[in-house]
Amino acid sequence: MKIAAVQYCIDHDDPHGNWSRIEDYINKAKSQNVDLIVFPEYIIGGPGPERVTGKEACERFCSLAKQYDLDIVSGTIVEKDPEDGKLYNCAYYIDNRGQVLLEYRKVHLWHPERDYLHQGKHGFGTTKNRFGITVGMCVCWDIAFPEGFRHMVFKDGAQLVIAPAYWTLEDAGPIGQGHNAFSESAFLDSVVPARAFENEIAMVFCNVGDPNGEGQRKSPFGASAGCTQIAVPFKGVIAHCAARTEEMIVADVDVETLTRDAETVYKVREDWIKGKIFGGSPAYEVESIVKPSSQ
């Protein structure tokens, strides 16, 4: 699969104006024979309860996927559930026919999101795309928790996991930035390839971007941590945005071969099934051993 990830600079003041630039990137990806293009979290105007849409945003992405004959991960869209009336942060994997193969509602909400969003309750699903690859999705802060990956990979056989994000340097807060102004970038560059190696998967992380100097507006929520990247077993990071500004990266990824060969070497999936990995099945009985103090 040839995969593109767009570290996109969202115009927070003109949600509808983002669409023309989104289509420009889709057209650019198509001209490079890309099979799948990924956009970041909150792609339509940034975060906030005022950015709620109906299904029309997803439907527009479906039309673009069909028009340009490629698969699209829409980033995320804030939607109101028609049944419970609650707001969710939703991501979609859409195939080249314009069909939604997978909908994911963000499970691990970042702290400010909890003021208006609700946690997705359907867990981490997977789907098989037209290339025969089993795909899972998560969003932003989800990548900090390996449990979701274990479910997608070891229980549902995911080979490719895609994570749209809206991750800023300021997410570390004054305390974290007091230690390192770029601590969030260090976090991402550590965790993303780790998830690829430890789970024997191809991993696509797609973050929001800062302005690239072409008249784009800065985000009101802070500077992007950047680090949009594609990581795979054995090789590590095979594509990475050069800076924290807007950019599209493209990589040709042999997902089937890399994930198969990683399992041949490391046998992590086999060991999980056989119960040889802590937390797998059968469950381990944990005994706490308290040694007496030497004093």
Side-chain angles (χ1 to χ4, degrees), residues 52 78-90 105 116-119 121:
V52 178
V78 180
E79 295 182 6
K80 178 181 285 188
D81 187 289
E83 295 183 2
D84 63 23
K86 296 177 180 179
L87 302 184
Y88 296 92
N89 196 5
C90 305
R105 291 179 171 183
Y116 65 98
L117 290 175
H118 284 76
Q119 182 182 43
K121 298 298 183 183

Side-chain angles (χ1 to χ4, degrees), residues 53-213:
T53 72
K55 287 295 182 184
E56 62 267 17
C58 175
E59 291 168 358
R60 189 162 181 177
F61 274 113
C62 289
S63 296
L64 289 168
K66 185 176 181 179
Q67 177 183 344
Y68 288 93
D69 188 30
L70 47 62
D71 294 10
I72 297 175
V73 168
S74 62
T76 73
I77 303 163
V78 180
E79 295 182 6
K80 178 181 285 188
D81 187 289
E83 295 183 2
D84 63 23
K86 296 177 180 179
L87 302 184
Y88 296 92
N89 196 5
C90 305
Y92 295 93
Y93 187 105
I94 302 162
D95 73 7
N96 67 323
R97 300 168 300 163
Q99 301 295 313
V100 173
L101 299 187
L102 180 63
E103 176 183 356
Y104 168 71
R105 291 179 171 183
K106 187 174 182 180
V107 172
H108 300 102
L109 299 176
W110 185 235
H111 304 287
E113 292 178 311
R114 300 171 193 178
D115 293 337
Y116 65 98
L117 290 175
H118 284 76
Q119 182 182 43
K121 298 298 183 183
H122 302 305
F124 297 88
T126 61
T127 188
K128 193 174 288 289
N129 69 11
R130 61 192 169 106
F131 303 97
I133 302 300
T134 302
V135 182
M137 288 196 300
C138 59
V139 172
C140 204
W141 189 229
D142 284 327
I143 72 168
F145 306 97
E147 292 82 1
F149 286 80
R150 286 182 171 179
H151 181 90
M152 288 185 281
V153 174
F154 300 144
K155 293 187 178 180
D156 289 342
Q159 300 161 290
L160 169 64
V161 174
I162 300 166
Y166 192 113
W167 204 303
T168 71
L169 296 176
E170 286 79 3
D171 286 338
I175 294 175
Q177 289 196 299
H179 291 285
N180 175 9
F182 298 95
S183 65
E184 295 305 291
S185 297
F187 184 108
L188 294 171
D189 278 340
S190 299
V191 170
V192 174
R195 294 290 174 264
F197 275 104
E198 70 190 5
N199 294 292
E200 306 171 345
I201 57 170
M203 173 86 184
V204 180
F205 174 82
C206 185
N207 202 9
V208 66
D210 281 343
N212 59 13

Side-chain angles (χ1 to χ4, degrees), residues 236-258:
V237 177
I238 58 172
H240 193 294
C241 281
R244 294 182 289 108
T245 51
E246 182 171 287
E247 181 184 354
M248 184 174 81
I249 56 172
V250 178
D252 207 342
V253 188
D254 188 346
V255 178
E256 180 68 38
T257 298
L258 283 164

